[in-house]
Amino acid sequence: MKSDVEELMPRLLPVEFGASAEVLDMNGPPRNPREYLRQVQLEASQCPEVVVAQIDPKKLKKKQTINASVAGCHAAPLGFSPSLSWQQHQVSTFSGVRQSIAKNRTHWSSHTLDDNVLMPKLTDEEGWKRFCFGETVYLGASSGHTDAEPEPALDYSKVGFPPFLSIVSRLNQSTVLMLLEILISWFEEHDFVPQLGRWLYALLACLEKPLIPEAHASIRQLARRCAQLRSTLESQEDEKLPALNLLICLVARYFEQNDLADQPE
């Protein structure tokens, strides 16, 4: 007798079988297409219509926790958040920068780098930190040596290489995301420095939309860190405030992480 499923859903590949079906060897390989289809049908007929999985809850308790933060930003102290018009202006300017980079990427990437520009390998995290920040920041040395003799020329090994267009135009998306993650991770444990701000802005300008999940998580982490640091500032005149507001604005307004956006006071 046909099952209810067979009545409602006729076979896509109906095959007529004769007496040879009684002696079909299910353990051996099929000898022809007809035997193959017959084996498939016999195996399917032996499967129960409803299957209940036997799961031991004790084995799952230790594997169900996923560390994914969806928290918003620290609220800005009164007077520390930018106006909506300021945010809209920054988004417009940033959009123009992104379009210019995309349009001229091939042109800038063809420029020959100076001999002193030695870009680190993709997986060299410490090398990238030294490259972007310079030895002064990377090694934690103080930059306020007022009694020291002035440098005869700008030494990028000490102050870090800026994100020149000839450099960032050479970075593919995997490198852009990798470098973002390195710098944001460093920022979690250190104070904000100008070199960091320049590189984060440049990398965000090179980050393609729509965002992949890893990029989505990284930029949200960046905005939260900026907001957390902003909440500790004591003065609206602090030189770090505009940069922190700008990064929060770009993540929230341009990359559409609206729950992180500063609202008009």
Side-chain angles (χ1 to χ4, degrees), residues 49-228:
E49 294 185 3
V50 178
V51 178
V52 179
Q54 300 298 324
I55 300 175
D56 184 0
K58 295 181 180 179
K59 295 182 179 180
L60 300 178
K61 287 184 178 179
K62 296 182 180 180
K63 300 181 180 181
Q64 292 187 2
T65 300
I66 300 176
N67 294 322
S69 175
V70 294
C73 288
H74 281 73
L78 185 62
F80 281 66
S81 62
S83 66
L84 180 58
S85 60
W86 183 90
Q87 295 181 61
Q88 292 171 338
H89 175 72
Q90 298 304 325
V91 168
S92 177
T93 301
F94 181 70
S95 178
V97 171
R98 284 174 58 90
Q99 293 176 16
S100 178
I101 291 177
K103 180 179 179 180
N104 299 292
R105 177 177 294 276
T106 302
H107 168 75
W108 284 109
S109 62
S110 64
H111 279 217
T112 302
L113 297 176
D114 292 340
D115 293 338
N116 64 331
V117 183
L118 300 177
M119 297 175 63
K121 295 181 179 179
L122 178 61
T123 57
D124 186 4
E125 294 189 12
E126 299 307 312
W128 278 109
K129 294 175 188 176
R130 187 187 294 268
F131 182 84
C132 297
F133 298 143
E135 294 178 357
T136 302
V137 173
Y138 174 76
L139 299 177
S142 173
S143 59
H145 296 294
T146 55
D147 297 332
E149 292 294 328
E151 294 288 342
L154 187 59
D155 188 348
Y156 287 124
S157 66
K158 292 185 178 181
V159 301
F161 286 92
F164 295 126
L165 287 173
S166 56
I167 293 178
V168 297
S169 295
R170 284 175 159 78
L171 306 180
N172 58 29
Q173 278 302 290
S174 61
T175 305
V176 168
L177 180 56
M178 179 277 303
L179 189 48
L180 263 176
E181 292 174 347
I182 290 174
L183 299 186
I184 294 171
S185 178
W186 182 91
F187 186 30
E188 288 286 341
E189 300 179 359
H190 298 81
D191 199 1
F192 185 87
V193 293
Q195 293 96 321
L196 175 66
R198 289 191 288 267
W199 270 100
L200 290 175
Y201 188 93
L203 292 172
L204 290 176
C206 295
L207 189 62
E208 293 180 355
K209 296 175 69 176
L211 299 178
I212 63 174
E214 293 82 357
H216 180 274
S218 291
I219 66 171
R220 288 182 64 86
Q221 180 184 356
L222 170 61
R224 287 194 295 267
R225 170 55 178 155
C226 289
Q228 184 273 326

